[in-house]
Amino acid sequence: MSLNARFAVISDLHIALPQTIWDIPNRFHLVEISIPALELVFNHLEQLNLDFLLLPGDLTQHGEPINHDWLQRRLSQLPYPVYVVPGNHDVPTLLPDERSIGLKDFPHYYHQFGYDNPDQLYYTREIFPGVQLIGLNSNQFDQTGKQLGCLDAPQLAWLEDVLAQTKDKLIVVMVHHNVIEHLPSQSKHPLGRRYMLDNAPTLLNLLKAAGVNLIFTGHLHVQDIAYHQGIYDITTGSLVSYPHPYRVLELRTDNLGNRWLQIESHHITSVPGWENLPEISRKWMGDRSHPFMVKLLTAPPLCLPQHDADKLAPSLRNFWADIAVGDTYFDFPDFPPPVRRYFQTFSAMDSNGKPAFIDNHTTLLLE
C-alpha cells in the first residue's frame, strides 16, 4: 500500500493553568509558558494540513484534573485527529488525591483521543489508511505505591494478540518511557534508567518479531533518534524545556514501494513575557545544573571523588542543555583523559565513531 501522510509530534507539554503552577526549585522545565507555547504550535500546525498529531505523554504539570480538563477541551477544537498516551506526570498516583487524577481516570479524559474503551489504559486503532497506532501505558505502581515505568503482563498479552492480528499495515507504537537507549548505557546508569522502560527488551522482541520499526517516546526531554536492530525510537524534547521543540513528519512511499519518513524539527523561540525564550531557558537550566552534574560525575562509571566533581561541574553547566538540543559533539580537552573520553561518548556519532546528525532533521528508510 502506498502511504503518504503528514503528522506532528509534541511531547511533554506539562500543561499548567496559572492558578495550578507550583514551584520546584530544581526543575529544568518552564511550565509557566506551557499554554502560550502550545498555542503557538497549534497556530503553526493548523497551516500544514496535518493528518494526525501524536502526544507521547506528560500532558500536564502533575496530573491536576483542571489541567487535564483544559487540555482535552482544547484538543477537541483542533481540525485534525489527536492521539495521546499517559506520562508519569499525568498519573502520579494510583488513586486520585487532592492534587491529581488516578491512573484509571486517564482514559475518561481522553476518550476522543484514542481511548474508545474507558476501562483500558492502552488502545489500538487505524489512524490513517494503512497506518495502525498502538498506544501503550508505561505507568505502573508497586505494592507500596511507588510509580514504575513498565508494561504489565495483561498489556503485553494484549499487545501480542494485536500484533498477530494486524497485517499489511504500518504499525506505529507510542509510549512515554524510552524503549531504546538514547544515552550511553542509559538502561544501567542510576540517572538514566528511570527514563527507560524497565522491560524494554521484552517489548523490543515482540515488535521485532512483528516487523515494527517505529516507536515514538518522550519523558527524557531531549531530541534524539535511536536505532536498534531495525527499530527506531524517536524521542521528542519537552515543549516547555530548552530548546522547546516539536516535530513535523512526512511519511512517503516512492515508486519502488519503499517507505520513507522525513523528520523536521521546529522550536518555539518567543512567547509573551519571554521574548528571548531560548536564552532564558538555557540559562534557567544551567543555573540548576550543578547538583545534577555532580551526581553524574560521582556516579558509575566515573565515580569521581566529591571535590573533583565539584571542580569539573561548572564546565558542564550547559551539558544537559546541549544534550537536549540533539546533534551535538562533546569534547572537554581540559578534563582528565578518562573523563574526557566518557563525555565524548554522548556525542552524536554512529557506530563507527563518525558524526551522525540525525536527531532533528533527517529522512529515515523504513525497511
Side-chain angles (χ1 to χ4, degrees):
M1 177 183 291
S2 179
L3 296 178
N4 298 281
R6 176 183 291 163
F7 63 102
V9 179
I10 317 170
S11 194
D12 295 74
L13 319 177
H14 291 278
I15 290 299
L17 291 165
Q19 66 270 31
T20 70
I21 293 176
W22 52 295
D23 189 33
I24 302 176
N26 61 351
R27 67 171 160 90
F28 282 2
H29 52 290
L30 298 171
V31 297
E32 293 83 353
I33 59 103
S34 59
I35 291 177
L38 185 62
E39 293 293 357
L40 287 173
V41 177
F42 286 161
N43 289 342
H44 177 211
L45 297 184
E46 287 178 8
Q47 304 170 33
L48 301 183
N49 192 29
L50 289 188
D51 292 299
F52 55 90
L53 168 64
L54 303 179
L55 305 179
D58 276 2
L59 312 178
T60 61
Q61 175 184 223
H62 208 60
E64 301 86 355
I66 190 174
N67 290 331
H68 279 297
D69 186 62
W70 182 91
L71 182 61
Q72 63 87 14
R73 286 188 288 108
R74 184 64 184 90
L75 296 180
S76 69
Q77 300 168 6
L78 297 177
Y80 41 77
V82 184
Y83 303 97
V84 309
V85 292
N88 57 302
H89 277 264
D90 297 319
V91 287
T93 60
L94 178 60
L95 301 176
D97 60 21
E98 68 280 358
R99 175 176 286 167
S100 69
I101 69 170
L103 179 63
K104 292 184 179 180
D105 298 325
F106 186 84
H108 295 270
Y109 283 87
Y110 298 99
H111 61 90
Q112 299 179 63
F113 311 107
Y115 291 91
D116 294 332
N117 180 356
D119 296 322
Q120 186 168 281
L121 284 152
Y122 39 90
Y123 63 90
T124 185
R125 62 186 303 173
E126 187 175 50
I127 59 173
F128 187 81
V131 178
Q132 189 79 18
L133 174 65
I134 298 176
L136 299 175
N137 167 47
S138 55
N139 301 282
Q140 310 296 332
F141 295 85
D142 66 15
Q143 293 181 345
T144 69
K146 179 183 177 181
Q147 193 171 24
L148 308 173
C150 64
L151 304 181
D152 59 350
Q155 185 173 190
L156 286 169
W158 169 88
L159 174 61
E160 193 166 8
D161 287 342
V162 168
L163 293 173
Q165 296 170 20
T166 305
K167 305 296 183 183
D168 302 320
K169 292 182 182 179
L170 176 67
I171 298 175
V172 174
V173 172
M174 181 167 60
V175 61
H176 186 59
H177 288 72
N178 301 154
V179 183
I180 299 174
E181 291 182 330
H182 293 277
L183 303 172
S185 301
Q186 183 184 346
S187 62
K188 301 178 182 65
H189 197 281
L191 295 180
R193 63 189 175 211
R194 65 185 293 258
Y195 298 97
M196 291 287 301
L197 193 71
D198 288 346
N199 51 352
T202 301
L203 175 59
L204 284 172
N205 287 338
L206 286 176
L207 299 182
K208 182 181 177 182
V212 177
N213 49 27
L214 270 184
I215 309 172
F216 290 94
T217 65
H219 197 26
L220 190 58
H221 289 203
V222 307
Q223 290 285 96
D224 193 80
I225 298 177
Y227 179 81
H228 179 72
Q229 295 185 350
I231 301 177
Y232 291 101
D233 181 332
I234 300 171
T235 196
T236 300
S238 171
L239 186 63
V240 296
S241 185
Y242 182 80
H244 308 281
Y246 60 102
R247 300 186 190 270
V248 176
L249 305 96
E250 300 265 358
L251 179 63
R252 292 287 178 257
T253 307
D254 65 21
N255 294 333
L256 299 177
N258 298 311
R259 293 172 178 170
W260 300 86
L261 185 66
Q262 179 181 340
I263 302 172
E264 297 293 334
S265 296
H266 302 263
H267 304 86
I268 297 299
T269 59
S270 176
V271 300
W274 307 72
E275 277 70 25
N276 194 352
L277 181 59
E279 180 179 331
I280 294 171
S281 63
R282 184 177 175 85
K283 181 179 184 301
W284 173 284
M285 189 177 290
D287 288 345
R288 289 155 176 76
S289 67
H290 188 88
F292 176 83
M293 298 316 306
V294 168
K295 288 181 181 178
L296 182 61
L297 290 162
T298 56
L302 292 177
C303 300
L304 295 183
Q306 180 74 33
H307 63 88
D308 290 347
D310 285 331
K311 183 179 178 180
L312 296 178
S315 298
L316 296 165
R317 170 186 173 87
N318 293 318
F319 176 75
W320 190 252
D322 291 335
I323 287 284
V325 171
D327 295 323
T328 304
Y329 180 80
F330 294 98
D331 191 18
F332 297 91
D334 295 332
F335 281 11
V339 183
R340 180 185 182 184
R341 288 193 294 270
Y342 174 71
F343 283 102
Q344 286 175 334
T345 65
F346 287 85
S347 299
M349 297 184 294
D350 62 20
S351 58
N352 297 316
K354 296 182 179 179
F357 301 131
I358 66 167
D359 295 331
N360 287 285
H361 307 281
T362 192
T363 300
L364 306 177
L365 174 62
L366 305 182
E367 299 174 359

